């Protein structure tokens, strides 16, 4: 991302400025505040006087009290998974969508999960209006620890009136049921309840694609990543692009087959992660950014085998990898830094 000396940076689609990103931190600096209000007037010139009147009266408005984030929802045994996701989605919606034209938080998707979760805590502390990516990070944070829940990104690239837009939601899978968490201007482009309606990943994706069509958007690209580890302090990065589909260029049957294929890949990965049942399967996958398109991928995973002399393998690696803490029993060894004798790569 290019650096800026004016405190904010425009995000463009061609020659059109979609919004600005605040680079000065919080509280919002005077120059970012001025740019935010000026941009609003530029977007709605017919309402300039009304916008100016609202700005002049900002100090008169009462402060808004927000409830605490539902930090304790994930480990609560009295709630079903569907109820937990509903409470998390309700909290995200209470923060409201950011229509100001100024993104308040400086986000970097390439940071490790630990850094992204620090940003998520900051967002929840400030309780400012947010957009889809901030909602995505909050959803990851609050769903961490829900046993049996797999989380993955679903990223959309669409076009409307020659302007390209991007959107992201957190896809979730519990058992054989799919759903989604997120925030959007349109309700049907965000939350998808875990109510049994989506028994296949392709059904969930088709629902989003149809919603975009209803609003006149052409879906150019959809990217789906690998499952995200349930560890707020992990130094792994999120694999954003395990599979890419182009609904406007690909027959529906073909891309549904690709979506079902990535689910089979997850299942194969789960088999080889069983010896570390206390760690999410994503923790044994190094982010590579490769696109899953070859039909032989499950066979590649089946061909992997673990080293028979596991203890000797760890001894060989101790001289090169600094371990934090190791516990050993009769069957296996577990390292908190997630150094593995065998890495599964996709």
């Amino acid at each position: 991302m290019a650096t800026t000396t004016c405190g904010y940076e425009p995000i463009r689609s061609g020659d059109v400025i979609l919004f600005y990103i605040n680079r000065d931190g919080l509280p919002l600096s005077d120059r970012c505040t001025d740019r935010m209000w000026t941009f609003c007037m530029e977007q709605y010139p017919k309402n300039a006087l009304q916008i100016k009147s609202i700005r002049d009266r900002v100090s008169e408005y009462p402060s808004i009290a927000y409830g605490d984030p539902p930090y304790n929802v994930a480990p609560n045994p009295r709630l079903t998974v569907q109820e937990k996701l509903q409470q998390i989605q309700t909290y995200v919606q209470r923060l409201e969508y950011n229509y100001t034209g100024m993104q308040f938080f400086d986000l970097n998707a390439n940071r490790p999960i630990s850094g992204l979760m620090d940003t998520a805590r900051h967002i929840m502390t400030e309780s400012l209006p947010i957009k889809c990516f901030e909602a995505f990070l909050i959803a990851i944070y609050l769903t961490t620890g829900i046993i049996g829940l797999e989380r993955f990104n679903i990223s959309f690239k669409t076009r409307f009136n020659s302007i390209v837009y991007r959107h992201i939601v957190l896809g979730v899978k519990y058992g054989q049921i799919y759903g989604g968490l997120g925030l959007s201007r349109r309700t049907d482009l965000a939350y998808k309840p875990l109510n049994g309606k989506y028994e296949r990943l392709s059904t969930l994706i088709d629902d989003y694609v149809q919603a975009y069509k209803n609003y006149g958007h052409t879906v150019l690209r959809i990217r789906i990543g690998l499952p995200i580890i349930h560890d707020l302090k992990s130094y792994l990065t999120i694999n954003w692009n395990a599979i890419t589909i182009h609904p406007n260029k690909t027959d529906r049957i073909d891309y549904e087959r690709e979506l079902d294929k990535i689910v089979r890949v997850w299942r194969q990965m789960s088999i080889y992660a069983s010896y570390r049942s206390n760690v999410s399967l994503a923790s044994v996958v190094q982010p590579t950014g490769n696109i899953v398109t070859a039909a032989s991928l499950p066979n590649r995973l089946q061909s992997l085998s673990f080293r028979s002399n596991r203890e000797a393998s760890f001894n060989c690696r101790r001289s090169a990898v600094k371990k934090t803490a190791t516990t050993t029993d009769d069957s296996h060894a577990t390292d908190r830094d997630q150094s593995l004798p065998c890495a599964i790569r996709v």
Side-chain angles (χ1 to χ4, degrees):
M1 189 69 70
T3 59
T4 176
T5 58
C6 59
Y8 51 83
E9 180 180 350
I11 299 300
R12 304 175 182 270
S13 176
D15 296 330
V16 178
I17 296 179
L18 299 179
F19 58 92
Y20 289 88
I21 296 180
N22 167 36
R23 300 295 192 191
D24 276 351
L26 294 173
L28 209 62
S29 64
D30 291 339
R31 54 186 177 181
C32 287
T33 302
D34 291 339
R35 177 69 270 187
M36 180 181 69
W37 286 102
T38 303
F39 181 68
C40 186
M41 294 180 185
E42 293 170 355
Q43 295 292 102
Y44 306 98
K46 295 181 180 180
N47 305 101
L49 293 178
Q50 182 181 2
I51 295 171
K52 184 178 184 302
S53 175
I54 294 174
R55 180 180 183 180
D56 293 339
R57 297 172 56 193
V58 165
S59 59
E60 301 176 7
Y61 294 116
S63 58
I64 300 175
Y66 289 96
D68 293 332
Y71 291 120
N72 297 323
V73 163
N76 191 339
R78 298 182 180 181
L79 299 176
T80 65
V81 174
Q82 183 178 352
E83 292 171 340
K84 293 177 181 181
L85 297 184
Q86 179 62 66
Q87 289 193 24
I88 294 171
Q89 179 65 29
T90 299
Y91 169 74
V92 169
Q93 292 175 339
R94 287 183 61 188
L95 295 178
E96 300 184 355
Y97 192 86
N98 183 359
Y99 291 97
T100 66
M102 178 67 69
Q103 179 178 297
F104 300 124
F105 303 97
D106 191 357
L107 306 173
N108 182 359
N110 295 321
R111 297 184 68 190
I113 292 175
S114 58
L116 293 176
M117 293 302 96
D118 286 342
T119 302
R121 281 189 288 268
H122 185 204
I123 295 171
M124 289 185 285
T125 299
E126 297 295 340
S127 294
L128 293 171
I130 58 176
K131 291 188 177 182
C132 60
F133 193 72
E134 291 103 322
F136 173 84
L137 297 180
I138 292 174
I140 292 177
Y141 189 99
L142 296 177
T143 56
T144 297
I146 299 180
I147 298 175
L149 186 72
E150 295 183 12
R151 300 92 44 84
F152 52 93
N153 67 284
I154 307 175
S155 307
F156 301 91
K157 180 181 179 181
T158 64
R159 183 176 60 238
F160 178 75
N161 288 342
S162 72
I163 301 177
V164 175
Y165 296 90
R166 288 173 172 81
H167 180 51
I168 186 171
V169 296
L170 181 68
V172 294
K173 178 177 181 288
Y174 184 74
Q176 299 301 318
I177 306 301
Y178 294 87
L181 298 172
L183 189 64
S184 172
R185 291 183 174 92
R186 309 290 187 176
T187 56
D188 50 358
L189 290 176
Y191 180 51
K192 303 295 180 182
L194 205 69
N195 57 7
K197 179 180 178 181
Y198 311 104
E199 296 183 351
R200 297 174 61 190
L201 179 57
S202 56
T203 306
L204 176 66
I205 298 300
D206 285 340
D207 199 9
Y208 282 113
V209 172
Q210 185 58 49
Y212 270 117
K213 290 181 179 179
N214 294 340
Y215 299 120
H217 280 245
T218 301
V219 181
L220 304 177
R221 184 184 66 205
I222 302 174
R223 286 179 174 173
I224 300 174
L226 293 177
I228 301 170
I229 183 174
H230 283 260
D231 184 359
L232 300 177
K233 299 181 180 180
S234 172
Y235 286 100
L236 293 176
T237 56
I238 295 176
N239 187 315
W240 302 98
N241 189 18
I243 184 171
T244 300
I245 58 177
H246 303 273
N248 62 325
K249 297 181 180 180
T250 309
D251 184 75
R252 177 174 176 176
I253 296 177
D254 292 336
Y255 78 70
E256 285 183 351
R257 187 182 301 116
E258 292 295 317
L259 291 172
D260 291 338
K261 187 186 303 177
I262 189 64
V263 176
R264 293 197 300 271
V265 170
W266 292 352
R267 190 177 301 121
Q268 293 290 332
M269 289 161 52
S270 183
I271 292 175
Y272 290 103
S274 60
Y275 77 104
R276 295 192 65 179
S277 58
N278 62 322
V279 178
S280 169
L281 60 91
S283 66
V284 299
V285 180
Q286 300 298 322
T288 61
N290 293 340
I291 301 177
V292 179
T293 55
S296 61
L297 269 178
N299 295 329
R300 288 176 56 196
L301 289 176
Q302 291 171 3
S303 65
L304 293 175
S305 60
F306 298 114
R307 300 176 185 176
S308 57
N309 192 347
R310 188 175 300 164
E311 188 65 29
S313 172
F314 279 114
N315 291 334
C316 293
R317 292 173 62 88
R318 284 194 179 100
S319 60
V321 180
K322 182 179 180 181
K323 304 291 174 55
T324 56
T326 303
T327 58
T328 306
D329 56 23
D330 295 335
S331 59
H332 64 277
T334 301
D335 293 325
R336 292 181 184 176
D337 71 345
Q338 298 175 4
S339 299
L340 296 176
C342 176
I344 301 176
R345 296 180 181 272
V346 177

